[in-house]
Amino acid sequence: MGKTLRRALLAGAVVIGASASVPLVPANAATACAAAWSASSVYVKDNVASQNGHNYTAKWWTQNESPATHSGAWDVWVDNGVCGGTTTPTTAPTTTPPTTPPTTTPTTPPTTAPTTTPPTSGTSGKNVVGYFAEWGVYGRNYHVKNLVTSGSAAKLTHILYAFGNTTGGQCSIGDSYADYDRAYSAAESVDGVADTWDTGALRGSFNQLRKLKKLYPNIKVIWSFGGWTWSGGFTQAAANPTAFANSCYNLVKDSRWADVFDGIDVDWEYPNACGLTCDTSGPDAYSKVISALRTKFGTNFLITSAISADGSNGGKLDVADYASGIAKLNLVFPMTYDYFGAFNAKGPTAPHSPLTSYAGIPQAGFYSDAAIQKLKSKGVPASKILLGIGFYGRGWTGVTQAAPGGTATGAAPGAYEAGIEDYKVLKSSCPANGTVAGTAYAFCGSNWWSYDTPSTIAGKMSYVKQQGLGGAFFWEFSGDTANGELIGAIKSNL
């Protein structure tokens, strides 16, 4: 199943076994932004990426100057040909920032692991874990500071920073600009202090996370690698797990940001099965990769993993030895969402995150409780398992019936991707008017959406406690309301 919003994130497609490509905006689109700002110069980073259904194209460019002079002070992004947001660094850089992730070996990390074991849960004994999407700082304009202003930071135990890449069977930087290069102004920064362009200064989301941890020392930050788009390298990692683990250690423990990260997360979609690509490395590959990471990082570093939530007989959870790998993890995140959606364009309409089965469910075993019970039956301790919550809905259009099971003509319109919309939008644009299998659905006009609400989240948190699970995790922060309505429902009901 897919965690599209979180998995196809960079590819612009989310799906269970399907993907779509989005053409990039022509590079010269950046010049169209000149008229949108009255400043004498515009400072734009040279980078092109298709992320979460939006195409970001930008160039180092200054009015009336050659790109090499890069003397401007504004950071401008072009989103699908439309001029995007701006920020004003306190000082323009004096050298050209990197346009690609670093190709050199990161600074040698310390060779010893921490001497104390980081806690894996909050004072209530339940974990509240949220994904922070690195590309959210672009079109979504969602930054680490939003965790503070929304009240979310005070409710968290862990943040999963998504994603690092797995190119060539090695851990690598996902987006160097977003991760550690983007300069934050005083107004944008967690602590009200602007970033500098001093040599060696850490900027970007990594520095903001560092500042966040100073304000909220209980929060643990985990760097997640892979995801729907970047899981291809795990096949090569499985061929040489030790080399993979060494590369991850060198990157996560790089002295520039070693203090930021308390753990590493493996989001392999999927071991010995198919996601965006198919893996045939064998049923023991997952356990070998996790074992190598545990050996390298030691017993006191957090290692977690997002895994399939396919509860069907002979499905993804049955074709790989998850239990042996999970035995070496601190926490595991079965992705109990994206079971159904408009990747099946004609329906039937069905809730994408059903907690239980129900009459007419399109596929047996495609619901949260089936996955949880399967993991338990394999010997996975309930206290390690977290229930997944989507902060978004999936929807169809061309629907004529309110009840689940109706036919459709295609994906409902979405702000970033057809068939997907944030909760913060849906709660007003198409309010829930029914529930099925422990989650909500909404029928408005010819559109049919399913998503979780504070009420259905309360019910799911009751299930978490009844089952003795370790808590809940969610994808992802920017889908919530400005005052953190959904994370509030998770925290208050655990």
Side-chain angles (χ1 to χ4, degrees):
M1 53 246 67
K3 194 195 266 186
T4 347
L5 217 62
R6 71 171 286 276
R7 297 193 225 186
L9 345 118
L10 297 184
V14 199
V15 75
I16 296 178
S19 65
S21 61
V22 184
L24 294 175
V25 177
N28 62 10
T31 60
C33 275
W37 287 273
S38 59
S40 61
S41 62
V42 181
Y43 199 57
V44 186
K45 189 178 190 311
D46 183 10
N47 194 18
V48 177
S50 175
Q51 299 181 333
N52 207 15
H54 274 215
N55 301 315
Y56 300 99
T57 302
K59 287 285 181 184
W60 285 111
W61 181 84
T62 53
Q63 279 186 319
N64 303 318
E65 298 179 71
S66 67
T69 58
H70 53 71
S71 62
W74 284 11
D75 172 2
V76 181
W77 282 90
V78 181
D79 181 357
N80 284 326
V82 179
C83 295
T86 65
T87 59
T88 306
T90 54
T91 308
T94 56
T95 59
T96 304
T99 60
T100 59
T103 55
T104 56
T105 302
T107 304
T108 303
T111 56
T112 56
T115 56
T116 58
T117 303
T120 57
S121 63
T123 55
S124 68
K126 299 298 183 185
N127 299 281
V128 179
V129 182
Y131 275 95
F132 184 93
E134 67 181 355
W135 58 91
V137 303
Y138 300 128
R140 286 177 169 268
N141 196 29
Y142 193 92
H143 307 275
V144 176
K145 184 177 180 178
N146 290 91
L147 302 181
V148 179
T149 58
S150 65
S152 299
K155 302 175 177 69
L156 287 167
T157 58
H158 303 72
I159 294 171
L160 289 163
Y161 187 84
F163 289 104
N165 209 333
T166 62
T167 304
Q170 305 276 295
C171 280
S172 58
I173 289 289
D175 180 341
S176 61
Y177 181 66
D179 292 348
Y180 60 82
D181 195 32
R182 183 193 190 279
Y184 278 80
S185 67
E188 297 172 316
S189 184
V190 166
D191 61 357
V193 178
D195 287 342
T196 73
W197 288 96
D198 295 344
T199 301
L202 185 66
R203 296 180 293 276
S205 293
F206 286 2
N207 189 42
Q208 294 301 305
L209 288 168
R210 173 185 284 167
K211 293 180 176 186
L212 183 75
K213 289 177 66 176
K214 289 180 179 178
L215 293 177
Y216 300 89
N218 61 296
I219 294 177
K220 304 301 177 184
V221 179
I222 301 171
W223 195 347
S224 183
F225 288 83
W228 179 255
T229 303
W230 285 344
S231 281
F234 282 120
T235 298
Q236 289 167 279
N240 192 342
T242 298
F244 173 71
N246 289 343
S247 73
C248 297
Y249 188 89
N250 289 338
L251 182 61
V252 175
K253 297 284 191 175
D254 186 299
S255 61
R256 290 171 290 177
W257 50 67
D259 61 319
V260 174
F261 296 106
D262 304 285
I264 183 172
D265 176 74
V266 173
D267 190 342
W268 184 354
E269 304 180 18
Y270 297 96
N272 208 37
C274 296
L276 183 61
T277 58
C278 291
D279 174 72
T280 57
S281 52
D284 61 344
Y286 176 77
S287 181
K288 287 180 177 178
V289 168
I290 299 298
S291 295
L293 288 169
R294 179 55 74 193
T295 297
K296 184 63 181 179
F297 280 94
T299 58
N300 296 325
F301 199 67
L302 295 176
I303 303 180
T304 64
S305 183
I307 65 171
S308 168
D310 181 352
S312 64
N313 292 329
K316 289 183 172 67
L317 286 178
D318 288 334
V319 298
D321 183 8
Y322 280 99
S324 295
I326 293 171
K328 303 170 183 71
L329 298 175
N330 296 93
L331 299 170
V332 64
F333 312 121
M335 297 177 286
T336 50
Y337 35 72
D338 290 347
Y339 284 106
F340 308 106
F343 35 82
N344 293 320
K346 295 187 177 181
T349 57
H352 83 82
S353 187
L355 178 62
T356 60
S357 187
Y358 64 95
I361 191 168
Q363 187 164 345
F366 269 37
Y367 56 95
S368 304
D369 183 59
I372 301 301
Q373 301 310 323
K374 183 176 284 288
L375 289 169
K376 285 185 173 183
S377 74
K378 294 177 182 294
V380 177
S383 60
K384 281 191 179 183
I385 304 170
L386 274 65
L387 184 70
I389 304 291
F391 281 10
Y392 61 94
R394 284 188 170 276
W396 290 262
T397 194
V399 180
T400 58
Q401 72 176 53
T407 58
T409 59
Y416 300 100
E417 179 182 345
I420 296 177
E421 188 56 272
D422 292 343
Y423 167 76
K424 66 177 181 280
V425 174
L426 290 171
K427 67 169 291 189
S428 300
S429 67
C430 193
N433 46 36
T435 59
V436 60
T439 191
Y441 64 86
F443 181 60
C444 44
S446 63
N447 295 331
W448 194 96
W449 292 93
S450 71
Y451 55 93
D452 274 311
T453 65
S455 176
T456 63
I457 285 175
K460 289 187 174 183
M461 295 309 101
S462 293
Y463 170 87
V464 167
K465 291 184 287 188
Q466 291 164 3
Q467 293 292 319
L469 304 185
F473 74 99
F474 57 87
W475 181 270
E476 44 86 19
F477 286 107
S478 70
D480 205 353
T481 59
N483 62 346
E485 191 173 298
L486 296 185
I487 189 176
I490 291 174
K491 179 64 175 178
S492 64
N493 288 286
L494 281 179

